[in-house]
Amino acid sequence: MDANTFVLFGATGDLAKRKIYPALFNLFLDGKLPEVFSVIGLGRREWSDETFKANIERSLHSFSRREASDAEAVTKFLSFFRYHVLDVDRKEDYQSLLKLIEEREQALGAEPNRLFYLSVGPELFETIANHIQDSGLGDTKGWKRLVIEKPFGRDLQSARDFNAQLSKAFTEDEIFRIDHYLGKPMVQKLHLLQQTNPVLQASWNNRYIANVQITASETVGVEERAGYYDHSGALRDMFQNHMLQLLMMLAAHLPKGDDSEQVRSKKKHVMQSLEPLLRQDVATQVVRGQYTSGTIQGKPVVGYKDEAGIPQESQNDTFIAAKLQIEDDFWRGIPIYIRTGKRMKEKATRIVIEFREPVKQVSNTNNGGKPNLLVFEISPNEGIYLRLNTEGEAQQQDLTKVLIGSHKSGSEVPEAYENLIYDALRGDSSFFAHWDEVELSWKWVQPILDAYAANEVPLYPYPAGSFGPQAAHDLLAKDGFEWWFDRESEAATSAKNTGNTSSQASLSIK
Ligand SMILES: NC(=O)C1=CN([C@@H]2O[C@H](COP(=O)(O)OP(=O)(O)OC[C@H]3O[C@@H](n4cnc5c(N)ncnc54)[C@H](OP(=O)(O)O)[C@@H]3O)[C@@H](O)[C@H]2O)C=CC1
Ligand SMILES: O=C1O[C@H](COP(=O)(O)O)[C@@H](O)[C@H](O)[C@H]1O
């Protein structure tokens, strides 16, 4: 059953402005919001309803993927919103909030089903959860849900403590932990692709797959988040959550249907089957990097240590690459390489599956040397590609790239937050991170955190605008592989710079 009241803590903040209001607006345009709907925005700022609505409208104009040009639609959308001043530590603010919610529920004839969305720093989660419990806000005749943003802990122990605290006020079924990578449409389609395509099902195992490469590269640097990022780094910010979730979604052999229990149990199986990383192996299986000055899309940029708010002596990681192995019957023996970093050459999240080379083995000729690839472009553009050997092309530099299904560019792809908020409103937790997954992820990552803290892993510099440190390439080279598409991307850039957009450059998957 849909939520009727959306209670937004942190309604004056950055995430609300950039993601939550635009997502709600696009859901509204698609007719996906409940018919009876009310949003109560909360913050310490002394805003009136009018100021609040004006801010929301501005956010739609700046950040919505679809234009907010229909004045009537915008007015109707804004009519859902009310603002309430609340300091999370002030008990009486929760009492007045309860009164406002009940008034709105009565006026609208809404069921008392309440979704509490915490778009605030994690240090406030526990206080808010306890006050929701104590004030009677959660004591509703309908149901309650809690949506929380990352980060979910800083390490294994803090995540466990944090979860224990939240569990006093909300059951696991009521907690929806957002990992926005799980909301990306291509990620949500991964299991359907396997289930509905026998050709993929048949080849989704160690008989046919040589290796898997998962990349999330960003061109942005630390931006205005130095305070947060310098205490987080690529490992905590991206790897422990988004990258391991991508791995789970790819590697889980999910059953047909959308039963969230099944999805979670299969994802948990992947994490439980991950070969544990021993602390003494971290330095050989993990590459830690930090960007130095360089050029991004033709513009010079400063190195990490020269970014505003970053201390000169910072040892923080802005890049990580790691080799993982899953010990189960499907994946045993397939190396899985994961990398993510800031200030890299291109903005791209993609998964590449490299298949073994049966032609070479069977015919013993030179022209079977290129493996087939299956490529999932996840964002910012979306598409699935297969690279095949085709007759007469074996002598050429590269293989034929076949687009499967449609290619969608940025604005056509629904934002992850649209999918996730829609699911949270309906109570479908399939694409939210369950506590078991979060705990197992921290458990796997903990030896890396320990090795970093003890400085047992070199911190390799890499120039902004590159694909990371050389050591990340060596990680694959040791196994006889290389990261796919780095060279094509380099070629595409240099072709663009020289005006030659034929040959290699056209092979780049965009
Ligand atoms: N911004 C982003 O792109 C992303 C953010 N996140 C996570 O989302 C959460 C919010 O981030 P973001 O929006 O960037 O943070 P901001 O600092 O921009 O906003 C924080 C919000 O919290 C409110 N707040 C702070 N202290 C109190 C208090 N004592 N009582 C009541 N309200 C309070 C502020 O309201 P006021 O100032 O009016 O009191 C403000 O609305 C964080 O957990 C962050 O890690 C996750 C992914 C991406
Ligand atoms: O959660 C985060 O994700 C973004 C990258 O998200 P994407 O959808 O643009 O790929 C990252 O920039 C940020 O540091 C991190 O906190």
Side-chain angles (χ1 to χ4, degrees):
M1 199 194 301
D2 283 344
N4 294 120
T5 306
F6 189 99
V7 184
L8 179 61
F9 291 79
T12 56
D14 181 68
L15 183 71
K17 173 178 78 180
R18 288 200 301 119
K19 298 290 181 189
I20 300 174
Y21 303 133
L24 285 170
F25 181 64
N26 281 284
L27 287 174
F28 168 71
L29 292 182
D30 288 336
K32 285 177 157 178
L33 289 183
E35 266 178 32
V36 178
F37 191 53
S38 141
V39 184
I40 315 281
L42 306 168
R44 286 168 304 182
R45 276 164 243 195
E46 301 277 343
W47 283 2
S48 63
D49 283 345
E50 284 64 39
T51 312
F52 183 41
K53 291 182 190 189
N55 274 284
I56 296 169
E57 192 170 352
R58 266 197 295 279
S59 114
L60 302 185
H61 291 302
S62 305
F63 301 109
S64 170
R65 75 184 165 90
R66 282 187 295 210
E67 269 186 53
S69 49
D70 178 345
E72 205 178 313
V74 172
T75 306
K76 169 93 173 80
F77 176 70
L78 292 176
S79 72
F80 299 142
F81 292 82
R82 295 290 182 279
Y83 184 75
H84 183 73
V85 179
L86 176 140
D87 186 316
V88 300
D89 294 313
R90 265 201 322 247
K91 213 172 163 183
E92 58 273 27
D93 290 352
Y94 294 85
Q95 293 306 331
S96 46
L97 171 63
L98 177 58
K99 199 160 159 271
L100 174 62
I101 292 175
E102 286 174 345
E103 277 169 17
R104 291 285 289 158
E105 282 170 351
Q106 272 194 352
L108 298 167
E111 294 291 324
N113 298 325
R114 299 169 188 162
L115 183 148
F116 300 95
Y117 194 124
L118 310 198
S119 179
V120 293
E123 67 285 357
L124 305 184
F125 290 1
E126 191 186 328
T127 309
I128 297 174
N130 289 339
H131 277 298
I132 290 174
Q133 173 93 330
D134 298 344
S135 62
L137 274 164
D139 210 8
T140 165
K141 287 201 185 75
W143 49 249
K144 65 179 190 299
R145 288 179 198 139
L146 183 76
V147 179
I148 52 176
E149 283 290 338
K150 64 165 229 199
F152 201 84
R154 282 191 53 71
D155 54 20
L156 180 58
Q157 192 52 50
S158 63
R160 281 178 173 158
D161 294 345
F162 188 28
N163 198 55
Q165 289 301 332
L166 280 190
S167 305
K168 289 183 191 161
F170 289 86
T171 63
E172 178 62 28
D173 286 351
E174 292 172 330
I175 302 176
F176 288 66
R177 294 178 196 81
I178 289 218
D179 182 307
H180 80 274
Y181 271 51
L182 287 177
K184 293 187 186 261
M186 181 59 76
V187 177
Q188 300 201 335
K189 272 183 270 188
L190 280 173
H191 68 293
L192 279 176
L193 283 161
Q194 281 173 54
Q195 285 165 357
T196 53
N197 295 290
V199 67
L200 291 188
Q201 252 171 19
S203 56
W204 216 250
N205 56 54
N206 52 14
R207 191 161 164 216
Y208 297 104
I209 297 176
N211 73 76
V212 173
Q213 304 177 11
I214 307 178
T215 296
S217 59
E218 296 190 82
T219 50
V220 294
V222 63
E223 298 178 288
E224 274 83 50
R225 298 162 76 209
Y228 155 76
Y229 194 80
D230 200 50
H231 293 100
S232 167
L235 177 58
R236 289 188 173 96
D237 185 48
M238 293 288 291
F239 188 94
Q240 177 272 331
N241 37 75
H242 304 322
M243 304 311 285
L244 289 179
Q245 283 291 346
L246 286 182
L247 173 65
M248 284 180 241
M249 293 306 293
L250 178 85
H253 282 254
L254 295 175
K256 284 215 167 73
D258 278 316
D259 176 350
S260 65
E261 278 306 309
Q262 294 263 24
V263 174
R264 287 170 160 190
S265 104
K266 298 283 175 184
K267 285 171 72 188
K268 186 174 164 185
H269 165 81
V270 172
M271 286 312 296
Q272 285 170 326
S273 310
L274 259 193
E275 195 173 272
L277 180 58
L278 301 177
R279 176 142 163 201
Q280 63 265 30
D281 296 333
V282 175
T284 51
Q285 297 209 40
V286 173
V287 174
R288 170 166 76 143
Q290 188 185 78
Y291 65 82
T292 55
S293 60
T295 307
I296 300 272
Q297 284 144 8
K299 290 199 187 108
V301 295
V302 298
Y304 181 69
K305 289 187 170 84
D306 292 321
E307 297 274 19
I310 303 295
Q312 276 297 315
E313 66 283 3
S314 174
Q315 292 288 297
N316 192 35
D317 51 310
T318 63
F319 175 94
I320 177 171
K323 176 180 169 181
L324 299 85
Q325 303 255 13
I326 298 172
E327 279 300 317
D328 75 4
D329 291 344
F330 294 106
W331 295 97
R332 186 169 296 112
I334 304 178
I336 296 164
Y337 306 103
I338 298 182
R339 67 177 168 173
T340 180
K342 293 213 179 276
R343 283 287 189 231
M344 292 176 66
K345 177 94 189 163
E346 60 173 359
K347 171 74 183 160
T349 301
R350 73 165 66 95
I351 298 175
V352 179
I353 297 186
E354 177 178 332
F355 290 95
R356 294 185 190 279
E357 299 171 39
V359 176
K360 195 174 174 184
Q361 288 155 13
V362 173
S363 69
N364 203 25
T365 60
N366 286 331
N367 61 6
K370 293 280 179 182
N372 291 162
L373 303 178
L374 179 62
V375 183
F376 298 99
E377 282 291 324
I378 294 171
S379 61
N381 300 325
E382 196 185 88
I384 305 168
Y385 300 85
L386 192 57
R387 299 230 309 193
L388 298 171
N389 288 300
T390 53
E391 201 183 348
E393 295 196 41
Q395 303 301 328
Q396 289 186 8
Q397 270 297 88
D398 224 312
L399 309 184
T400 302
K401 182 186 88 186
V402 182
L403 172 65
I404 310 168
S406 60
H407 166 96
K408 288 185 180 158
S409 63
S411 63
E412 294 171 280
V413 183
E415 281 268 342
Y417 274 85
E418 288 171 43
N419 290 331
L420 294 174
I421 290 175
Y422 181 59
D423 285 350
L425 289 170
R426 294 182 307 143
D428 182 347
S429 55
S430 305
F431 294 109
F432 291 82
H434 190 275
W435 164 242
D436 293 342
E437 297 156 21
V438 175
E439 185 181 35
L440 287 163
S441 305
W442 278 120
K443 214 170 168 178
W444 195 87
V445 153
Q446 189 62 48
I448 313 182
L449 290 170
D450 296 339
Y452 279 12
N455 225 356
E456 293 163 3
V457 185
L459 179 67
Y460 294 104
Y462 64 95
S466 69
F467 279 103
Q470 180 57 38
H473 301 281
D474 300 342
L475 184 72
L476 275 69
K478 278 189 282 192
D479 299 335
F481 300 120
E482 62 179 321
W483 292 104
W484 283 100
F485 304 116
D486 288 9
R487 273 194 284 165
E488 278 99 332
S489 179
E490 297 282 1
T493 310
S494 72
K496 209 165 146 194
N497 293 342
T498 59
N500 170 18
T501 49
S502 63
S503 71
Q504 279 278 359
S506 64
L507 295 168
S508 150
I509 289 190
K510 280 271 143 36

